[in-house]
Amino acid sequence: MPKIKLAENTVQLIKDICVEFENKESELINVLHQVQSKLGYLPAEVQEVIAKELKTSVAKVYGVVTFYSFFTMIPQGENPISICMGTACYVRGAEQVLNEFKRQLKVEVGESTEDGKFSINCLRCVGACGLAPVVTVGEKVYGRVAPTDVKKIIAEYHNR
Amino acid sequence: MDTVNLTIDNKPVVVKSGTTILEAASGVGMHIPTLCHMKLDDLNIENKPGGCRICVVEVEGRRNLAPACCTDVSEGMKINTHSMRVINARRTVMELILSDHPFDCLICAKSGNCDLQDMAHNLGIREIHYKGEQSTYREDTSPAIIREVDKCIMCRRCETMCNEVQTVGVLSAINRGFESVVSPAFEMNLDHSVCTYCGQCVAVCPTGALTEVDETGKVIRALSDPTKTVIVQTAPAVRAALGEEFGMEAGSLVTGKLVAALRRLGFDHVFDTDFAADLTIMEEGTELLNRLGKHLAGDKDVKLPILTSCCPAWVKFFEHQFPEMKDIPSTARSPQQMFGAIAKTYFADQLGIKREDLVVVSIMPCVAKKYECGRDEFKTNDNPDVDHAITTRELAALIKLSNIDFTALPNEDFDNPLGESTGAGVIFGTTGGVIEAAVRTAYEVHTKKELPKLDFDELRGMEGIREATIDFDGLPIKIGIAHGLGNARKLLEDIQAGNSEFHAIEIMSCPGGCIGGGGQPYHHGDAGILKKRQAALYTEDKNKTLRKSHLNPHIIELYEKFLGEPMSEKAHHLLHTEYFDRT
């Protein structure tokens, strides 16, 4: 695994988040949430800092990061696209929508486009089953998405 | 004390409240099978994830079967531990586990010692009704331990040992569902991690997922090479455990048979690591007295407490986790490495052969010794002082392979000059033993008086952390003892915080010391076995004519003829070492 050196202020940011949670090991999941929301992802080096601050083992931190699909170790695109694969979305055609995103952006699930603009992820149920199939881009939610809508959604972000 | 009345398999039972069904049943002779559950009494070690579901029992009035290991008894409970429903459930659980387990039992390193295999046999599994995908994972080989995660059943015992007991924190369950495995962080290999190779994960693994690196092939090759002189050293704890591999009672002392077996295997000289343990005491004891003398003379720079350095897993532990304290442990090499250094110089000279033509094999209760003998600082011109370290279990395999009827062997004696030892060397194999041996010598060297009593009961026992003050003729010497790296960590943190008043601390990585080492015959969760091995070593000590290291005549001769005196330049070069920051 290639080592990246974290910038000093990044390390400080992580330490500050840990302090917010009183450096408690039991707050690990909350710390990971906060750090990911600030950095976009949780590379190995970040997990090492968190483990040290919370006085736990990095293997444990990695165990939690890999257990929850929400956490990611891969840098996200500027516009992270998530396709819900929960039961309701799935039966209403989420897979076809996902395939269309993959085809148009030429990336696989968990990857980012070369220009760093988009990344694709799957998630399990956003609690909006009435709108199935659901796609989120960043904070924005799109409901009743059909494969034919995919081009339009991508275009919304392309020209920003 | 609150008690609870219940019946187990129609037998009325009265137990303390808070007792689990599993414990209550074992009290009336019903041994409910378990795979994940493990409790080592006296050592405060318990693994109770309630994950394997093999221990389920029927509780009258309850809809579902209850896991016996983590269900407490309650008043009036009626429990059936082997109804048809229970047996069917256990078989189903076992079949499901086996449906994702490789079928290579006949050639698996753990065959014959595998809890999973035994249990499948006891449950009478003759067919697996479930066919499905098998999880596969790459094999991870390190200098001491092999991980074959395909064979893991996620019992989490290794995780408990690595995290809670040893506080090393290398192993953790990662990923989710079918993909989950026990692994170091970022799925790195063990040799890139902070693993100490203590081998406690191996000692408790119920399957062949964690085993030691097998070096018996290399030993056989060396023994059949006519150009090599092959000598062997055996660690103290081996003689108190090897018999178990041949059906003997735990705690049987098999020193004489061990020597006889090694001779029959073809070793040219059969020596004793206990000799090197006596040598360690000469060096480490002198170092203790030197540091103590300087401290008493008011030298503020001298580092106290002195920490023992015999245990390679402990050395690797502080190199990773407390590198800023690497000048506190004694610089004395471990007995294994002292033996190797003396064998390849002093003894090779006596034989008139080159070090390259002398092969040193060691029999160790330990898997970390495999890693230790490969460390660069213990090599000369790329030739290691100790060529191969094999475990007690590997030696048993060699003996079986060579058709030797172990129990029928006569008792034989070690060869000289590196086979003579004192009782002090023998007790190196148990927690408290190294420091007791050191005290016996340091006391007499310091006070120039004979000790009135050699048994230091205050240093013995199984408590994880022990302390005692020994009166050195008016000078109180404060001694600490820790076994298990989690306990060692506590003492280290005290030193770091400046709260430690000890002059000397003994640390052994494995619970119980080397008698509970990762290379010993499997205890299968019975901590009583460790106590019996411990008692055996104290018996051997008691039976020895000489019980103080500095009285070993061959040690005296070694200093006269070769080393000069303890901590001499030559001794420093051959018997001491340095430590590295591994962060």
Side-chain angles (χ1 to χ4, degrees):
Chain A
M1 183 167 300
K3 278 257 167 197
I4 38 166
K5 190 141 168 43
L6 294 176
E8 204 123 306
N9 53 356
T10 309
V11 175
Q12 196 51 50
L13 178 117
I14 300 168
K15 285 183 175 172
D16 290 346
I17 291 172
C18 291
V19 169
E20 247 176 75
F21 292 97
E22 297 169 40
N23 294 69
K24 278 190 187 156
E25 194 199 332
S26 53
E27 296 284 0
L28 174 60
I29 291 175
N30 286 330
V31 169
L32 290 171
H33 265 285
Q34 285 289 315
V35 173
Q36 182 165 301
S37 79
K38 290 279 186 326
L39 303 181
Y41 71 123
L42 299 164
E45 295 69 19
V46 167
Q47 295 179 42
E48 278 165 8
V49 176
I50 294 173
K52 205 166 172 204
E53 293 305 301
L54 302 188
K55 291 205 170 52
T56 184
S57 76
V58 64
K60 268 226 164 111
V61 175
Y62 180 72
V64 172
V65 169
T66 54
F67 185 84
Y68 293 103
S69 58
F70 175 81
F71 296 128
T72 174
M73 289 182 63
I74 302 163
Q76 298 297 287
E78 256 171 69
N79 305 293
I81 301 171
S82 298
I83 295 101
C84 178
M85 298 295 266
T87 313
C89 291
Y90 190 84
V91 297
R92 298 200 54 161
E95 194 167 20
Q96 287 89 305
V97 175
L98 169 67
N99 287 339
E100 188 57 22
F101 272 108
K102 290 204 291 196
R103 197 180 67 80
Q104 296 230 3
L105 295 171
K106 296 184 185 65
V107 289
E108 286 300 312
V109 173
E111 291 178 353
S112 299
T113 51
E114 253 174 48
D115 59 6
K117 277 213 171 248
F118 297 98
S119 57
I120 304 182
N121 265 305
C122 291
L123 47 79
R124 305 273 165 189
C125 199
V126 289
C129 306
L131 297 176
V134 172
V135 169
T136 63
V137 182
E139 302 275 291
K140 192 166 174 191
V141 179
Y142 296 82
R144 306 226 167 89
V145 181
T148 45
D149 301 329
V150 168
K151 201 170 178 179
K152 208 170 72 205
I153 296 174
I154 293 173
E156 257 183 63
Y157 296 88
H158 236 319
N159 308 321
R160 280 193 189 175
Chain B
M1 182 177 63
D2 287 351
T3 56
V4 175
N5 297 284
L6 68 157
T7 64
I8 299 176
D9 298 332
N10 296 320
K11 235 185 188 159
V13 186
V14 184
V15 292
K16 259 198 317 194
S17 73
T19 306
T20 62
I21 296 176
L22 184 74
E23 290 164 334
S26 118
V28 289
M30 303 304 292
H31 295 290
I32 298 169
T34 59
L35 267 181
C36 63
H37 179 264
M38 175 187 69
K39 188 173 184 189
L40 299 179
D41 294 320
D42 300 321
L43 293 167
N44 281 328
I45 297 172
E46 187 169 22
N47 182 59
K48 198 164 83 171
C52 77
R53 308 316 257 199
I54 284 285
C55 69
V56 287
V57 294
E58 202 165 353
V59 180
E60 210 178 280
R62 247 177 97 144
R63 198 162 59 93
N64 295 327
L65 298 177
C69 71
C70 49
T71 307
D72 285 355
V73 293
S74 59
E75 187 62 34
M77 240 184 194
K78 287 192 174 133
I79 294 161
N80 196 326
T81 70
H82 56 88
S83 65
M84 192 165 96
R85 190 174 163 215
V86 167
I87 290 171
N88 281 339
R90 279 193 196 135
R91 282 187 172 160
T92 302
V93 167
M94 180 52 85
E95 283 184 40
L96 284 167
I97 294 173
L98 293 179
S99 72
D100 185 23
H101 193 84
F103 268 55
D104 61 357
C105 285
L106 278 176
I107 51 167
C108 175
K110 205 60 182 287
S111 187
N113 253 318
C114 175
D115 294 348
L116 183 68
Q117 190 183 50
D118 286 353
M119 207 156 295
H121 176 75
N122 289 346
L123 289 170
I125 307 291
R126 293 289 173 267
E127 193 186 343
I128 313 289
H129 295 88
Y130 308 96
K131 300 271 177 290
E133 209 183 326
Q134 292 240 333
S135 49
T136 54
Y137 200 84
R138 68 173 199 277
E139 186 176 307
D140 170 15
T141 304
S142 71
I145 295 170
I146 300 176
R147 287 171 58 232
E148 277 183 78
V149 181
D150 289 357
K151 295 179 179 168
C152 174
I153 57 165
M154 294 301 278
C155 72
R156 323 289 281 268
R157 289 187 192 175
C158 57
E159 238 186 293
T160 295
M161 294 313 279
C162 193
N163 294 282
E164 264 113 82
V165 178
Q166 301 295 60
T167 65
V168 170
V170 164
L171 295 175
S172 173
I174 61 157
N175 298 329
R176 186 170 192 157
F178 192 69
E179 307 289 318
S180 56
V181 291
V182 173
S183 159
F186 317 123
E187 305 197 40
M188 65 170 101
N189 287 342
L190 276 184
D191 63 350
H192 286 112
S193 74
V194 299
C195 176
T196 65
Y197 302 126
C198 73
Q200 282 304 310
C201 56
V202 175
V204 300
C205 179
T207 73
L210 291 158
T211 52
E212 75 269 34
V213 172
D214 181 355
E215 290 185 79
T216 52
K218 289 180 185 164
V219 174
I220 296 170
R221 204 165 307 135
L223 285 169
S224 48
D225 183 343
T227 66
K228 305 281 188 202
T229 300
V230 188
I231 67 171
V232 65
Q233 56 165 323
T234 67
V238 176
R239 68 208 65 194
L242 180 64
E244 293 163 30
E245 289 280 339
F246 301 94
M248 296 168 77
E249 253 316 281
S252 303
L253 269 174
V254 295
T255 319
K257 289 185 195 298
L258 164 67
V259 174
L262 291 168
R263 219 163 258 140
R264 277 157 188 70
L265 284 172
F267 288 102
D268 295 301
H269 300 269
V270 180
F271 291 138
D272 200 348
T273 312
D274 292 14
F275 169 85
D278 281 336
L279 188 55
T280 303
I281 289 303
M282 299 305 290
E283 295 296 325
E284 209 169 86
T286 307
E287 198 184 347
L288 164 69
L289 290 177
N290 282 354
R291 285 205 211 171
L292 201 60
K294 283 184 192 162
H295 170 75
L296 293 173
D299 185 343
K300 292 270 179 282
D301 295 331
V302 70
K303 302 277 185 186
L304 278 178
I306 187 169
L307 309 175
T308 58
S309 54
C310 308
C311 172
W314 149 236
V315 167
K316 196 161 183 280
F317 180 76
F318 74 71
E319 285 181 330
H320 283 293
Q321 315 245 358
F322 295 88
E324 65 283 1
M325 292 165 78
K326 66 184 166 64
D327 54 348
I328 301 182
S330 162
T331 58
R333 294 183 190 182
S334 72
Q336 163 174 281
Q337 294 308 136
M338 285 202 182
F339 181 95
I342 294 298
K344 290 223 170 162
T345 54
Y346 178 69
F347 186 63
D349 288 350
Q350 279 189 5
L351 293 180
I353 61 173
K354 288 188 301 208
R355 65 177 288 136
E356 287 75 15
D357 294 328
L358 181 68
V359 176
V360 177
V361 175
S362 57
I363 318 294
M364 293 284 145
C366 178
V367 294
K369 288 285 173 188
K370 290 174 184 289
Y371 152 81
E372 184 187 47
C373 71
R375 284 177 66 132
D376 285 337
E377 62 270 29
F378 301 137
K379 291 178 183 164
T380 302
N381 304 327
D382 218 29
N383 177 271
D385 290 345
V386 174
D387 296 84
H388 313 295
I390 63 170
T391 61
T392 312
R393 292 191 296 265
E394 287 171 271
L395 173 63
L398 268 181
I399 293 171
K400 289 172 188 169
L401 182 69
S402 309
N403 319 314
I404 296 167
D405 182 356
F406 185 79
T407 52
L409 286 172
N411 290 330
E412 293 182 10
D413 288 327
F414 286 107
D415 293 316
N416 277 327
L418 310 181
E420 177 78 41
S421 71
T422 70
V426 173
I427 56 173
F428 257 60
T430 169
T431 170
V434 170
I435 208 75
E436 181 169 340
V439 165
R440 289 182 192 172
T441 288
Y443 179 95
E444 297 204 348
V445 171
H446 177 75
T447 63
K448 302 192 174 59
K449 287 182 186 166
E450 198 178 332
L451 267 171
K453 178 172 152 285
L454 284 182
D455 296 324
F456 288 87
D457 293 325
E458 58 271 51
L459 299 173
R460 301 181 180 185
M462 275 286 180
E463 276 289 300
I465 296 177
R466 305 194 293 284
E467 45 188 278
T469 304
I470 308 285
D471 178 16
F472 271 39
D473 202 20
L475 176 67
I477 299 294
K478 289 190 177 150
I479 304 235
I481 296 166
H483 56 123
L485 289 168
N487 292 322
R489 179 185 290 279
K490 288 180 197 149
L491 294 188
L492 284 176
E493 283 170 352
D494 282 348
I495 299 173
Q496 230 171 7
N499 295 332
S500 184
E501 291 190 338
F502 295 119
H503 296 107
I505 297 177
E506 175 204 280
I507 290 171
M508 296 190 187
S509 297
C510 290
C514 312
I515 48 166
Q520 291 281 61
Y522 294 108
H523 54 62
H524 297 284
D526 180 0
I529 290 176
L530 305 191
K531 279 187 156 173
K532 289 177 187 161
R533 292 176 189 163
Q534 184 181 50
L537 289 185
Y538 285 124
T539 305
E540 177 113 320
D541 165 38
K542 220 162 195 151
N543 293 340
K544 285 266 191 181
T545 343
L546 295 173
R547 297 179 64 195
K548 291 175 267 193
S549 299
H550 55 290
L551 299 184
N552 181 333
H554 288 279
I555 291 284
I556 296 169
E557 186 182 293
L558 174 67
Y559 278 108
E560 276 171 2
K561 279 193 183 162
F562 186 65
L563 290 171
E565 56 187 35
M567 307 280 284
S568 68
E569 202 185 315
K570 196 164 200 172
H572 195 82
H573 173 64
L574 289 173
L575 306 180
H576 289 257
T577 187
E578 58 181 319
Y579 305 114
F580 303 91
D581 181 346
R582 293 187 192 274
T583 47

